[in-house]
């Protein structure tokens, strides 16, 4: 890095540069020499940054700051009207991993109409859920089964599998739902829970065959 790269005020200005490579280096510089007074600017940039790799570096930079400083700002941001702001704040909370943030992971966020926000909320919830809260979380997540395209469904399945065996009652209830897509997704997720190496594509195709035959039990049984 050049002296300019490690100058935090200069790096903050560079976060607005048109070149993503400059913004990436700037985020790294701010994280390398963290200063609490710059947290607001980092969070503000997360909400509008178009490049994934830059957003990830911004998250890293935020995680380098004291939780006592970042947490209040991020908790405010998850209530933003901007979807990207909510999504990135949730992503950052999942990386920081402080369970003080758990009350902010509301049912509204877990069921957010924006798929990226919901996916970020699912990941954060699995990291932050307190001991004993897993069954209730699984019940909420199960209401989202069958939602969206393959990438969204895979994210939800991973979140449910991450909670472990406590998700089985919710999955088995969903496997009897009227909606064919919900049943398929529930069966595929249970398959992944029982056999993590099966792969999502295989689990979905297997579940589709079970549903087509009128089944609602675990796929492959």
């Amino acid at each position: 890095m050049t002296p300019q790269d490690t100058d935090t005020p200069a790096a903050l200005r560079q976060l607005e540069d048109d070149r993503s490579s400059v913004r990436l280096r700037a985020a790294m510089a701010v994280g390398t020499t963290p200063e609490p007074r710059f947290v607001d600017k980092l969070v503000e940039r997360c909400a509008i940054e178009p490049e994934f790799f830059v957003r990830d570096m911004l998250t890293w930079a935020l995680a380098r700051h004291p939780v006592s400083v970042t947490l209040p700002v991020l908790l405010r941001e998850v209530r933003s009207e901007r979807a990207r702001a909510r999504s990135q704040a949730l992503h950052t909370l999942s990386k920081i991993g402080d369970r003080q943030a758990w009350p902010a992971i509301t049912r509204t966020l877990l069921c957010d109409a924006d798929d990226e926000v919901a996916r970020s909320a699912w990941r954060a919830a699995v990291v932050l859920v307190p001991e004993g809260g897993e069954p209730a979380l699984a019940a909420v997540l199960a209401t989202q089964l069958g939602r969206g395209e393959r990438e969204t469904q895979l994210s939800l399945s991973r979140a449910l599998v991450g909670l472990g065996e406590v998700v089985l009652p919710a999955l088995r209830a969903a496997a009897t739902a009227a909606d064919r897509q919900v049943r398929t997704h529930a069966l595929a997720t249970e398959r992944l829970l029982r056999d993590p190496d099966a792969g999502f594509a295989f689990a979905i195709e297997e579940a589709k065959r079970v549903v087509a035959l009128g089944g609602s039990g675990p796929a492959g049984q």
Side-chain angles (χ1 to χ4, degrees), residues 74-94:
L74 292 169
L75 294 181
R76 181 187 68 215
E77 197 75 350
V78 299
R79 299 190 297 272
S80 171
E81 293 183 0
R82 291 179 293 185
R84 178 165 290 168
R86 298 196 302 278
S87 174
Q88 196 63 25
L90 287 162
H91 174 66
T92 304
L93 288 172
S94 74

Side-chain angles (χ1 to χ4, degrees), residues 185-207:
H185 195 186
L187 289 171
T189 303
E190 183 171 348
R191 172 64 191 227
L192 289 176
L193 180 64
R194 292 187 291 112
D195 182 9
D197 296 326
F200 188 67
F202 175 82
I204 283 286
E205 292 307 313
E206 184 181 62

Side-chain angles (χ1 to χ4, degrees), residues 31 36 44 46 62 65 96-97 115 133-134 185 195 199 205-206 208:
E44 178 185 312
C46 281
L62 283 164
H65 287 76
I96 293 173
D115 284 347
E134 294 89 350
H185 195 186
D195 182 9
E205 292 307 313
E206 184 181 62
K208 284 179 179 177

Side-chain angles (χ1 to χ4, degrees), residues 98-142:
D98 192 302
R99 286 184 169 175
Q100 292 181 84
W102 169 247
I105 311 300
T106 62
R107 187 185 187 102
T108 298
L109 285 171
L110 293 169
C111 303
D112 198 285
D114 185 280
D115 284 347
E116 192 55 44
V117 175
R119 289 169 58 193
S120 295
W122 301 338
R123 290 190 295 267
V126 172
V127 172
L128 301 174
V129 62
E131 186 175 353
E134 294 89 350
L137 174 58
V140 176
L141 293 182

Side-chain angles (χ1 to χ4, degrees), residues 5-212:
D5 289 329
T6 56
D7 184 309
T8 306
L12 285 175
R13 292 192 296 274
Q14 291 165 3
L15 286 175
E16 300 177 3
D17 196 279
D18 290 340
R19 296 161 293 178
S20 62
S21 60
V22 174
R23 299 197 303 275
L24 183 69
R25 290 197 302 273
M28 183 183 297
V30 176
T32 300
T33 55
E35 293 188 41
R37 62 196 176 103
F38 297 133
V39 164
D40 281 340
K41 180 64 176 179
L42 289 171
V43 173
E44 178 185 312
R45 185 65 208 179
C46 281
I48 59 174
E49 173 54 52
E51 296 292 333
F52 168 80
F53 292 110
V54 180
R55 292 199 303 272
D56 223 35
M57 189 62 74
L58 289 165
T59 286
W60 172 80
L62 283 164
R64 295 263 300 161
H65 287 76
V67 172
S68 60
V69 178
T70 56
L71 200 58
V73 184
L74 292 169
L75 294 181
R76 181 187 68 215
E77 197 75 350
V78 299
R79 299 190 297 272
S80 171
E81 293 183 0
R82 291 179 293 185
R84 178 165 290 168
R86 298 196 302 278
S87 174
Q88 196 63 25
L90 287 162
H91 174 66
T92 304
L93 288 172
S94 74
K95 294 300 183 182
I96 293 173
D98 192 302
R99 286 184 169 175
Q100 292 181 84
W102 169 247
I105 311 300
T106 62
R107 187 185 187 102
T108 298
L109 285 171
L110 293 169
C111 303
D112 198 285
D114 185 280
D115 284 347
E116 192 55 44
V117 175
R119 289 169 58 193
S120 295
W122 301 338
R123 290 190 295 267
V126 172
V127 172
L128 301 174
V129 62
E131 186 175 353
E134 294 89 350
L137 174 58
V140 176
L141 293 182
T143 67
Q144 302 301 293
L145 286 164
R147 168 180 174 165
E149 301 299 324
R150 184 65 59 92
E151 189 175 9
T152 297
Q153 293 189 9
L154 174 57
S155 290
L156 181 57
S157 290
R158 284 174 171 165
L160 285 161
V161 168
L163 293 175
E165 297 285 326
V166 298
V167 304
L168 283 173
L171 289 178
R172 288 175 178 167
T176 64
D179 188 297
R180 187 186 187 98
Q181 194 162 337
V182 171
R183 296 201 306 275
T184 299
H185 195 186
L187 289 171
T189 303
E190 183 171 348
R191 172 64 191 227
L192 289 176
L193 180 64
R194 292 187 291 112
D195 182 9
D197 296 326
F200 188 67
F202 175 82
I204 283 286
E205 292 307 313
E206 184 181 62
K208 284 179 179 177
R209 289 193 294 272
V210 173
V211 171

